[in-house]
Amino acid sequence: MITVNALSEVAALMGDPARASMLSLLMDGRAHTASELALTAGVTAQTASGHLSRMVEGNLLAARAQGRNRFYRLASSDVAHAIESLMAVAGSRAAPASKAAAWRRDPDLRYCRTCYDHLAGQVGIAVTDALTKAGHLSPKGTQDWELTQTGELFCQRIGVDVAGARASGTRHFARQCLDWSERRPHISGALGAAIADTFFKRGWAERLRRSRTVRLTDLGRRAMHRDFGAAL
Amino acid sequence: MITVNALSEVAALMGDPARASMLSLLMDGRAHTASELALTAGVTAQTASGHLSRMVEGNLLAARAQGRNRFYRLASSDVAHAIESLMAVAGSRAAPASKAAAWRRDPDLRYCRTCYDHLAGQVGIAVTDALTKAGHLSPKGTQDWELTQTGELFCQRIGVDVAGARASGTRHFARQCLDWSERRPHISGALGAAIADTFFKRGWAERLRRSRTVRLTDLGRRAMHRDFGAAL
DNA sequence: TTGATCCTTCGGCCGCTGCCGAACGATTGA
DNA sequence: TCAATCGTTCGGCAGCGGCCGAAGGATCAA
């Protein structure tokens, strides 16, 4: 009865209050950091770390390192489905969880910032989304992007130095970088840096002093609309 | 976060190997006795008893006493659905579980017998099914049956003493009795006894000596076909 | 390089809970 | 009524597992 054992193991993983809290938070479909999950569960970081690695081991979660942060998300929609079924049995429906409050903090930083040397935040996501929607960019594996032929032309048109990016030695060309405020991947790597360069050189964006925060100029706003088809 | 607690509690109930074994067995949708579940789980009766009462308490199972046996079944389809989702996460599909072997034992007893003073086994179920399908009988609550007007006429026609059954003092008129071999309710109570009486009086069935086993006669087989519309 | 932040591993404590033996009601069949 | 069967409660034991403090690696900002 290998299936019975597997059943009880999966259920047991979900059956701890701390882990259940984490899973509940992750039901929003986004990725969360270990410390955030620890806070939610009401346990210390080291305890949370143990829980998280066990859930990764049990194929409930997927982890992804991002700088000194580690983001965790549900491993599959199957997991989300199972949790929802359990909630149905529990008889109470999942609370919508008011996140509005959290979004008030640091709105500028969340709007646009540099992530190392490329754009992040809502603007970074908007750029990435626009490129993928237009067919210029498509995910390659879980870590990279592929720049299509039309993407190559598009970059040329708006003045992104693609050739320079390709020639950047050991560096990854186009990388998927998990956005910590939007919790979705944006474009990084050499191409991401080249795109950010273009934003700064053409006066579409400017760095705020002593901060990672980036301000989108009126010119940039118009460019986002005209060249990327995104309203921001 | 009342929902989180409830989630972990439900999952924890399913997260024990012994309980998971029981739940797996109960996934066939039928009711099983406590001892059968104990055997399946590989624990002693008293351990199983504890598990079962906890699962009843947690609304995972429903229990029903039947003589000195106690039958347990999944409390709802929601529970079955949740278990199935967990199995999907576990990645292995539920084994069909070869039950064919078990059905070979005591085929006569399973085919037809008396349960106290009424018919049980496949014949008892067939009679009950035929009456409900024809609209003569319908469940009333979870414990009783209601005999409809057409049912009353039908009983009159085949010679069941309904009036006598109604007059039987303190006794329940038409009761749902869980069939231990078919695991589904058949008709018992005064009406069930009266129906069985008819079967014996009209030569449709005869008791085997020193046994609860009942043999359906050729006459009875024909009656089942003609009057009940059931092939047996 | 230094300090700060994020996360992990290690070690030990403690409480929960699953397990069984024993004993006891309840029901059934003879 | 008596014996057998089914199921339960009780008590005690043992082990798993969740928790934290301490310490250390990795990464980032200055």
Side-chain angles (χ1 to χ4, degrees):
Chain A
M1 286 291 182
I2 188 170
T3 148
V4 170
N5 246 337
L7 167 65
S8 70
E9 280 169 16
V10 171
L13 276 177
M14 297 178 176
D16 175 79
R19 287 194 293 265
S21 300
M22 296 173 174
L23 290 169
S24 271
L25 179 60
L26 292 167
M27 280 295 283
D28 65 2
R30 301 187 302 171
H32 292 263
T33 64
S35 45
E36 192 173 4
L37 291 163
L39 191 68
T40 300
V43 295
T44 59
Q46 60 269 33
T47 299
S49 178
H51 285 310
L52 290 168
S53 51
R54 285 188 60 183
M55 288 195 280
V56 168
E57 182 70 19
N59 287 319
L60 260 54
L61 300 186
R64 185 161 167 189
Q66 183 83 31
R68 60 186 161 187
N69 288 317
R70 227 170 146 196
F71 285 85
Y72 291 87
R73 59 176 175 79
L74 297 186
S76 70
S77 60
D78 282 354
V79 175
H81 181 79
I83 293 171
E84 223 164 75
S85 313
L86 288 172
M87 283 178 170
V89 170
S92 42
R93 56 201 69 209
S98 82
K99 314 157 188 158
W103 290 107
R104 306 246 176 240
R105 276 174 291 172
D106 245 334
D108 293 340
L109 196 64
R110 286 167 193 275
Y111 179 67
C112 191
R113 65 182 176 277
T114 49
C115 178
Y116 306 98
D117 51 6
H118 56 269
L119 295 179
Q122 291 175 42
V123 172
I125 291 290
V127 167
T128 305
D129 281 358
L131 291 177
T132 54
K133 198 172 288 179
H136 298 333
L137 205 63
S138 68
K140 188 170 75 177
T142 60
Q143 295 278 345
D144 291 273
W145 298 103
E146 174 157 23
L147 189 66
T148 64
Q149 289 202 344
T150 69
E152 199 100 28
L153 293 176
F154 175 81
C155 284
Q156 221 166 36
R157 185 160 67 77
I158 66 168
V160 174
D161 181 16
V162 177
R166 283 207 198 281
S168 66
T170 66
R171 187 169 188 191
H172 286 285
F173 173 61
R175 201 77 169 160
Q176 291 183 31
C177 177
L178 190 60
D179 195 292
W180 67 260
S181 59
E182 297 297 313
R183 310 302 168 94
R184 295 166 49 209
H186 58 239
I187 185 171
S188 68
L191 182 60
I195 292 173
D197 258 11
T198 301
F199 269 70
F200 292 126
K201 278 189 182 156
R202 297 191 60 168
W204 292 352
E206 49 189 28
R207 301 176 198 267
L208 265 61
R209 49 193 158 68
R210 297 181 55 84
S211 163
R212 300 171 56 193
T213 305
V214 170
R215 194 179 72 82
L216 199 65
T217 64
D218 289 340
L219 218 59
R221 223 170 302 273
R222 252 174 276 147
M224 284 300 293
H225 180 71
R226 183 190 59 227
D227 296 326
F228 292 88
L232 273 169
Chain B
M1 285 295 181
I2 187 169
T3 150
V4 170
N5 245 339
L7 167 65
S8 70
E9 280 168 17
V10 171
L13 275 177
M14 297 179 175
D16 175 80
R19 288 194 293 265
S21 300
M22 296 174 174
L23 290 169
S24 272
L25 179 60
L26 292 167
M27 280 295 283
D28 65 2
R30 302 187 303 171
H32 293 263
T33 64
S35 45
E36 193 173 2
L37 291 163
L39 192 68
T40 299
V43 295
T44 59
Q46 59 271 33
T47 300
S49 178
H51 285 309
L52 290 168
S53 51
R54 285 188 60 184
M55 287 194 282
V56 168
E57 181 70 20
N59 288 318
L60 259 55
L61 300 186
R64 185 163 167 185
Q66 183 83 33
R68 60 184 162 190
N69 289 317
R70 231 175 142 194
F71 286 84
Y72 291 88
R73 60 176 175 79
L74 297 186
S76 70
S77 60
D78 281 354
V79 175
H81 181 78
I83 294 170
E84 223 165 77
S85 312
L86 288 172
M87 283 178 169
V89 170
S92 42
R93 57 201 68 208
S98 81
K99 315 156 188 161
W103 290 107
R104 306 248 175 238
R105 276 174 291 173
D106 244 335
D108 292 341
L109 197 65
R110 286 166 192 276
Y111 179 66
C112 191
R113 65 183 176 279
T114 50
C115 177
Y116 306 97
D117 51 5
H118 57 269
L119 296 178
Q122 291 175 42
V123 172
I125 290 290
V127 167
T128 305
D129 281 358
L131 290 177
T132 55
K133 199 172 287 180
H136 298 333
L137 206 62
S138 68
K140 188 170 75 177
T142 61
Q143 296 277 344
D144 292 274
W145 299 104
E146 175 157 24
L147 188 66
T148 64
Q149 289 202 346
T150 69
E152 200 101 26
L153 294 175
F154 174 81
C155 284
Q156 221 167 36
R157 182 160 69 78
I158 66 169
V160 174
D161 181 14
V162 176
R166 282 208 199 280
S168 66
T170 66
R171 188 170 185 192
H172 286 285
F173 173 62
R175 202 74 168 160
Q176 293 183 31
C177 178
L178 190 60
D179 196 290
W180 68 259
S181 59
E182 297 297 313
R183 311 302 170 91
R184 294 167 49 207
H186 57 239
I187 185 171
S188 69
L191 182 61
I195 291 173
D197 258 12
T198 301
F199 269 69
F200 292 127
K201 279 190 183 154
R202 299 191 60 167
W204 293 352
E206 49 191 29
R207 302 175 197 268
L208 265 61
R209 50 193 156 65
R210 296 180 54 82
S211 164
R212 301 171 55 194
T213 304
V214 169
R215 194 179 72 82
L216 199 65
T217 64
D218 288 339
L219 219 56
R221 223 171 301 275
R222 252 174 278 146
M224 284 299 293
H225 180 70
R226 184 189 59 229
D227 296 325
F228 293 88
L232 273 169

PDB file of all heavy atoms in Angstrom, chain A residues 100-113 120-123 180-182 213-214:
ATOM      1  N   ALA A 100      -4.360  44.995   1.362  1.00  0.00           N
ATOM      2  CA  ALA A 100      -4.318  46.409   1.000  1.00  0.00           C
ATOM      3  C   ALA A 100      -3.365  47.191   1.895  1.00  0.00           C
ATOM      4  O   ALA A 100      -2.569  48.000   1.421  1.00  0.00           O
ATOM      5  CB  ALA A 100      -5.715  47.011   1.077  1.00  0.00           C
ATOM      6  N   ALA A 101      -3.421  46.917   3.193  1.00  0.00           N
ATOM      7  CA  ALA A 101      -2.606  47.653   4.141  1.00  0.00           C
ATOM      8  C   ALA A 101      -1.120  47.525   3.829  1.00  0.00           C
ATOM      9  O   ALA A 101      -0.386  48.508   3.832  1.00  0.00           O
ATOM     10  CB  ALA A 101      -2.893  47.167   5.557  1.00  0.00           C
ATOM     11  N   ALA A 102      -0.701  46.302   3.560  1.00  0.00           N
ATOM     12  CA  ALA A 102       0.712  46.057   3.333  1.00  0.00           C
ATOM     13  C   ALA A 102       1.250  46.819   2.130  1.00  0.00           C
ATOM     14  O   ALA A 102       2.395  47.258   2.106  1.00  0.00           O
ATOM     15  CB  ALA A 102       0.949  44.564   3.147  1.00  0.00           C
ATOM     16  N   TRP A 103       0.399  47.011   1.157  1.00  0.00           N
ATOM     17  CA  TRP A 103       0.844  47.661  -0.067  1.00  0.00           C
ATOM     18  C   TRP A 103       1.078  49.162   0.105  1.00  0.00           C
ATOM     19  O   TRP A 103       1.638  49.799  -0.758  1.00  0.00           O
ATOM     20  CB  TRP A 103      -0.171  47.448  -1.191  1.00  0.00           C
ATOM     21  CG  TRP A 103      -0.184  46.034  -1.646  1.00  0.00           C
ATOM     22  CD1 TRP A 103      -1.137  45.102  -1.414  1.00  0.00           C
ATOM     23  CD2 TRP A 103       0.837  45.374  -2.401  1.00  0.00           C
ATOM     24  NE1 TRP A 103      -0.789  43.913  -1.969  1.00  0.00           N
ATOM     25  CE2 TRP A 103       0.414  44.045  -2.580  1.00  0.00           C
ATOM     26  CE3 TRP A 103       2.054  45.784  -2.931  1.00  0.00           C
ATOM     27  CZ2 TRP A 103       1.188  43.125  -3.277  1.00  0.00           C
ATOM     28  CZ3 TRP A 103       2.813  44.865  -3.627  1.00  0.00           C
ATOM     29  CH2 TRP A 103       2.369  43.550  -3.784  1.00  0.00           C
ATOM     30  N   ARG A 104       0.626  49.703   1.219  1.00  0.00           N
ATOM     31  CA  ARG A 104       0.784  51.141   1.421  1.00  0.00           C
ATOM     32  C   ARG A 104       2.241  51.477   1.728  1.00  0.00           C
ATOM     33  O   ARG A 104       2.704  52.576   1.448  1.00  0.00           O
ATOM     34  CB  ARG A 104      -0.107  51.604   2.574  1.00  0.00           C
ATOM     35  CG  ARG A 104      -1.554  51.217   2.408  1.00  0.00           C
ATOM     36  CD  ARG A 104      -2.436  52.436   2.223  1.00  0.00           C
ATOM     37  NE  ARG A 104      -3.813  52.044   1.960  1.00  0.00           N
ATOM     38  CZ  ARG A 104      -4.455  52.380   0.851  1.00  0.00           C
ATOM     39  NH1 ARG A 104      -3.873  53.101  -0.084  1.00  0.00           N
ATOM     40  NH2 ARG A 104      -5.701  51.998   0.677  1.00  0.00           N
ATOM     41  N   ARG A 105       2.924  50.539   2.329  1.00  0.00           N
ATOM     42  CA  ARG A 105       4.299  50.832   2.708  1.00  0.00           C
ATOM     43  C   ARG A 105       5.203  50.933   1.485  1.00  0.00           C
ATOM     44  O   ARG A 105       5.171  50.071   0.610  1.00  0.00           O
ATOM     45  CB  ARG A 105       4.827  49.734   3.639  1.00  0.00           C
ATOM     46  CG  ARG A 105       4.434  49.970   5.103  1.00  0.00           C
ATOM     47  CD  ARG A 105       4.854  48.798   5.941  1.00  0.00           C
ATOM     48  NE  ARG A 105       4.056  47.616   5.628  1.00  0.00           N
ATOM     49  CZ  ARG A 105       4.308  46.403   6.107  1.00  0.00           C
ATOM     50  NH1 ARG A 105       5.343  46.204   6.862  1.00  0.00           N
ATOM     51  NH2 ARG A 105       3.531  45.396   5.792  1.00  0.00           N
ATOM     52  N   ASP A 106       5.987  51.974   1.473  1.00  0.00           N
ATOM     53  CA  ASP A 106       7.003  52.112   0.437  1.00  0.00           C
ATOM     54  C   ASP A 106       6.438  52.015  -0.972  1.00  0.00           C
ATOM     55  O   ASP A 106       6.952  51.253  -1.807  1.00  0.00           O
ATOM     56  CB  ASP A 106       8.043  51.005   0.623  1.00  0.00           C
ATOM     57  CG  ASP A 106       9.393  51.601   0.975  1.00  0.00           C
ATOM     58  OD1 ASP A 106       9.637  52.759   0.597  1.00  0.00           O
ATOM     59  OD2 ASP A 106      10.186  50.895   1.610  1.00  0.00           O
ATOM     60  N   PRO A 107       5.413  52.766  -1.280  1.00  0.00           N
ATOM     61  CA  PRO A 107       4.779  52.624  -2.596  1.00  0.00           C
ATOM     62  C   PRO A 107       5.718  52.969  -3.752  1.00  0.00           C
ATOM     63  O   PRO A 107       5.652  52.335  -4.801  1.00  0.00           O
ATOM     64  CB  PRO A 107       3.610  53.603  -2.527  1.00  0.00           C
ATOM     65  CG  PRO A 107       3.975  54.575  -1.460  1.00  0.00           C
ATOM     66  CD  PRO A 107       4.804  53.838  -0.478  1.00  0.00           C
ATOM     67  N   ASP A 108       6.605  53.938  -3.510  1.00  0.00           N
ATOM     68  CA  ASP A 108       7.519  54.330  -4.591  1.00  0.00           C
ATOM     69  C   ASP A 108       8.470  53.198  -4.954  1.00  0.00           C
ATOM     70  O   ASP A 108       8.715  52.909  -6.118  1.00  0.00           O
ATOM     71  CB  ASP A 108       8.316  55.566  -4.174  1.00  0.00           C
ATOM     72  CG  ASP A 108       7.415  56.787  -4.049  1.00  0.00           C
ATOM     73  OD1 ASP A 108       6.312  56.752  -4.639  1.00  0.00           O
ATOM     74  OD2 ASP A 108       7.806  57.737  -3.366  1.00  0.00           O
ATOM     75  N   LEU A 109       8.970  52.567  -3.892  1.00  0.00           N
ATOM     76  CA  LEU A 109       9.924  51.481  -4.109  1.00  0.00           C
ATOM     77  C   LEU A 109       9.254  50.330  -4.849  1.00  0.00           C
ATOM     78  O   LEU A 109       9.847  49.683  -5.705  1.00  0.00           O
ATOM     79  CB  LEU A 109      10.458  50.987  -2.758  1.00  0.00           C
ATOM     80  CG  LEU A 109      11.725  50.146  -2.807  1.00  0.00           C
ATOM     81  CD1 LEU A 109      12.881  50.959  -3.344  1.00  0.00           C
ATOM     82  CD2 LEU A 109      12.049  49.590  -1.431  1.00  0.00           C
ATOM     83  N   ARG A 110       8.010  50.097  -4.486  1.00  0.00           N
ATOM     84  CA  ARG A 110       7.288  49.026  -5.149  1.00  0.00           C
ATOM     85  C   ARG A 110       6.939  49.380  -6.580  1.00  0.00           C
ATOM     86  O   ARG A 110       6.769  48.508  -7.423  1.00  0.00           O
ATOM     87  CB  ARG A 110       5.998  48.696  -4.379  1.00  0.00           C
ATOM     88  CG  ARG A 110       6.259  47.944  -3.101  1.00  0.00           C
ATOM     89  CD  ARG A 110       5.041  47.899  -2.221  1.00  0.00           C
ATOM     90  NE  ARG A 110       5.401  47.447  -0.889  1.00  0.00           N
ATOM     91  CZ  ARG A 110       5.494  46.172  -0.555  1.00  0.00           C
ATOM     92  NH1 ARG A 110       5.239  45.247  -1.428  1.00  0.00           N
ATOM     93  NH2 ARG A 110       5.854  45.825   0.671  1.00  0.00           N
ATOM     94  N   TYR A 111       6.835  50.688  -6.810  1.00  0.00           N
ATOM     95  CA  TYR A 111       6.458  51.111  -8.160  1.00  0.00           C
ATOM     96  C   TYR A 111       7.616  50.884  -9.126  1.00  0.00           C
ATOM     97  O   TYR A 111       7.456  50.254 -10.169  1.00  0.00           O
ATOM     98  CB  TYR A 111       6.052  52.585  -8.152  1.00  0.00           C
ATOM     99  CG  TYR A 111       5.679  53.094  -9.503  1.00  0.00           C
ATOM    100  CD1 TYR A 111       4.546  52.624 -10.159  1.00  0.00           C
ATOM    101  CD2 TYR A 111       6.473  54.034 -10.150  1.00  0.00           C
ATOM    102  CE1 TYR A 111       4.203  53.077 -11.405  1.00  0.00           C
ATOM    103  CE2 TYR A 111       6.133  54.496 -11.406  1.00  0.00           C
ATOM    104  CZ  TYR A 111       5.000  54.014 -12.034  1.00  0.00           C
ATOM    105  OH  TYR A 111       4.668  54.462 -13.272  1.00  0.00           O
ATOM    106  N   CYS A 112       8.764  51.379  -8.755  1.00  0.00           N
ATOM    107  CA  CYS A 112       9.926  51.156  -9.622  1.00  0.00           C
ATOM    108  C   CYS A 112      11.219  51.295  -8.842  1.00  0.00           C
ATOM    109  O   CYS A 112      11.375  52.195  -8.025  1.00  0.00           O
ATOM    110  CB  CYS A 112       9.923  52.151 -10.794  1.00  0.00           C
ATOM    111  SG  CYS A 112      11.144  51.742 -12.060  1.00  0.00           S
ATOM    112  N   ARG A 113      12.149  50.401  -9.095  1.00  0.00           N
ATOM    113  CA  ARG A 113      13.447  50.428  -8.422  1.00  0.00           C
ATOM    114  C   ARG A 113      14.445  49.669  -9.282  1.00  0.00           C
ATOM    115  O   ARG A 113      14.078  48.993 -10.254  1.00  0.00           O
ATOM    116  CB  ARG A 113      13.339  49.774  -7.043  1.00  0.00           C
ATOM    117  CG  ARG A 113      13.011  48.301  -7.133  1.00  0.00           C
ATOM    118  CD  ARG A 113      12.859  47.656  -5.783  1.00  0.00           C
ATOM    119  NE  ARG A 113      12.444  46.263  -5.943  1.00  0.00           N
ATOM    120  CZ  ARG A 113      11.197  45.866  -6.132  1.00  0.00           C
ATOM    121  NH1 ARG A 113      10.221  46.755  -6.187  1.00  0.00           N
ATOM    122  NH2 ARG A 113      10.917  44.590  -6.288  1.00  0.00           N
ATOM    123  N   ALA A 120      12.995  46.879 -11.668  1.00  0.00           N
ATOM    124  CA  ALA A 120      12.101  45.976 -10.948  1.00  0.00           C
ATOM    125  C   ALA A 120      10.890  46.754 -10.473  1.00  0.00           C
ATOM    126  O   ALA A 120      10.746  47.938 -10.768  1.00  0.00           O
ATOM    127  CB  ALA A 120      12.839  45.338  -9.778  1.00  0.00           C
ATOM    128  N   GLY A 121      10.046  46.096  -9.747  1.00  0.00           N
ATOM    129  CA  GLY A 121       8.811  46.726  -9.295  1.00  0.00           C
ATOM    130  C   GLY A 121       7.754  46.673 -10.393  1.00  0.00           C
ATOM    131  O   GLY A 121       7.882  45.933 -11.368  1.00  0.00           O
ATOM    132  N   GLN A 122       6.733  47.453 -10.225  1.00  0.00           N
ATOM    133  CA  GLN A 122       5.634  47.405 -11.187  1.00  0.00           C
ATOM    134  C   GLN A 122       6.100  47.729 -12.600  1.00  0.00           C
ATOM    135  O   GLN A 122       5.634  47.130 -13.571  1.00  0.00           O
ATOM    136  CB  GLN A 122       4.529  48.388 -10.769  1.00  0.00           C
ATOM    137  CG  GLN A 122       3.801  47.962  -9.504  1.00  0.00           C
ATOM    138  CD  GLN A 122       2.786  48.999  -9.043  1.00  0.00           C
ATOM    139  OE1 GLN A 122       2.068  49.564  -9.850  1.00  0.00           O
ATOM    140  NE2 GLN A 122       2.736  49.239  -7.736  1.00  0.00           N
ATOM    141  N   VAL A 123       7.042  48.668 -12.692  1.00  0.00           N
ATOM    142  CA  VAL A 123       7.536  49.027 -14.016  1.00  0.00           C
ATOM    143  C   VAL A 123       8.327  47.868 -14.631  1.00  0.00           C
ATOM    144  O   VAL A 123       8.140  47.526 -15.807  1.00  0.00           O
ATOM    145  CB  VAL A 123       8.407  50.305 -13.944  1.00  0.00           C
ATOM    146  CG1 VAL A 123       9.084  50.561 -15.282  1.00  0.00           C
ATOM    147  CG2 VAL A 123       7.554  51.501 -13.539  1.00  0.00           C
ATOM    148  N   TRP A 180      10.396  40.888  -5.791  1.00  0.00           N
ATOM    149  CA  TRP A 180       9.948  40.660  -4.407  1.00  0.00           C
ATOM    150  C   TRP A 180       8.666  41.390  -4.070  1.00  0.00           C
ATOM    151  O   TRP A 180       7.968  41.000  -3.142  1.00  0.00           O
ATOM    152  CB  TRP A 180      11.032  40.983  -3.393  1.00  0.00           C
ATOM    153  CG  TRP A 180      11.413  42.430  -3.278  1.00  0.00           C
ATOM    154  CD1 TRP A 180      12.487  43.020  -3.845  1.00  0.00           C
ATOM    155  CD2 TRP A 180      10.749  43.446  -2.525  1.00  0.00           C
ATOM    156  NE1 TRP A 180      12.531  44.342  -3.523  1.00  0.00           N
ATOM    157  CE2 TRP A 180      11.473  44.630  -2.702  1.00  0.00           C
ATOM    158  CE3 TRP A 180       9.614  43.483  -1.723  1.00  0.00           C
ATOM    159  CZ2 TRP A 180      11.095  45.847  -2.123  1.00  0.00           C
ATOM    160  CZ3 TRP A 180       9.242  44.690  -1.135  1.00  0.00           C
ATOM    161  CH2 TRP A 180       9.974  45.854  -1.328  1.00  0.00           C
ATOM    162  N   SER A 181       8.334  42.456  -4.795  1.00  0.00           N
ATOM    163  CA  SER A 181       7.075  43.130  -4.486  1.00  0.00           C
ATOM    164  C   SER A 181       5.933  42.579  -5.334  1.00  0.00           C
ATOM    165  O   SER A 181       4.813  42.434  -4.862  1.00  0.00           O
ATOM    166  CB  SER A 181       7.204  44.640  -4.668  1.00  0.00           C
ATOM    167  OG  SER A 181       7.566  44.967  -5.994  1.00  0.00           O
ATOM    168  N   GLU A 182       6.237  42.251  -6.560  1.00  0.00           N
ATOM    169  CA  GLU A 182       5.193  41.709  -7.433  1.00  0.00           C
ATOM    170  C   GLU A 182       5.132  40.195  -7.384  1.00  0.00           C
ATOM    171  O   GLU A 182       4.160  39.587  -7.817  1.00  0.00           O
ATOM    172  CB  GLU A 182       5.434  42.169  -8.881  1.00  0.00           C
ATOM    173  CG  GLU A 182       5.357  43.677  -9.064  1.00  0.00           C
ATOM    174  CD  GLU A 182       3.963  44.208  -8.733  1.00  0.00           C
ATOM    175  OE1 GLU A 182       2.982  43.625  -9.209  1.00  0.00           O
ATOM    176  OE2 GLU A 182       3.863  45.199  -7.970  1.00  0.00           O
ATOM    177  N   THR A 213      15.248  53.435  -5.253  1.00  0.00           N
ATOM    178  CA  THR A 213      14.001  53.868  -5.876  1.00  0.00           C
ATOM    179  C   THR A 213      14.268  54.583  -7.198  1.00  0.00           C
ATOM    180  O   THR A 213      15.212  55.360  -7.325  1.00  0.00           O
ATOM    181  CB  THR A 213      13.245  54.820  -4.939  1.00  0.00           C
ATOM    182  OG1 THR A 213      13.046  54.182  -3.686  1.00  0.00           O
ATOM    183  CG2 THR A 213      11.900  55.200  -5.542  1.00  0.00           C
ATOM    184  N   VAL A 214      13.441  54.297  -8.166  1.00  0.00           N
ATOM    185  CA  VAL A 214      13.559  54.908  -9.493  1.00  0.00           C
ATOM    186  C   VAL A 214      12.251  55.612  -9.808  1.00  0.00           C
ATOM    187  O   VAL A 214      11.170  55.088  -9.503  1.00  0.00           O
ATOM    188  CB  VAL A 214      13.857  53.832 -10.559  1.00  0.00           C
ATOM    189  CG1 VAL A 214      13.737  54.417 -11.960  1.00  0.00           C
ATOM    190  CG2 VAL A 214      15.241  53.244 -10.347  1.00  0.00           C
TER     191      VAL A 214
END
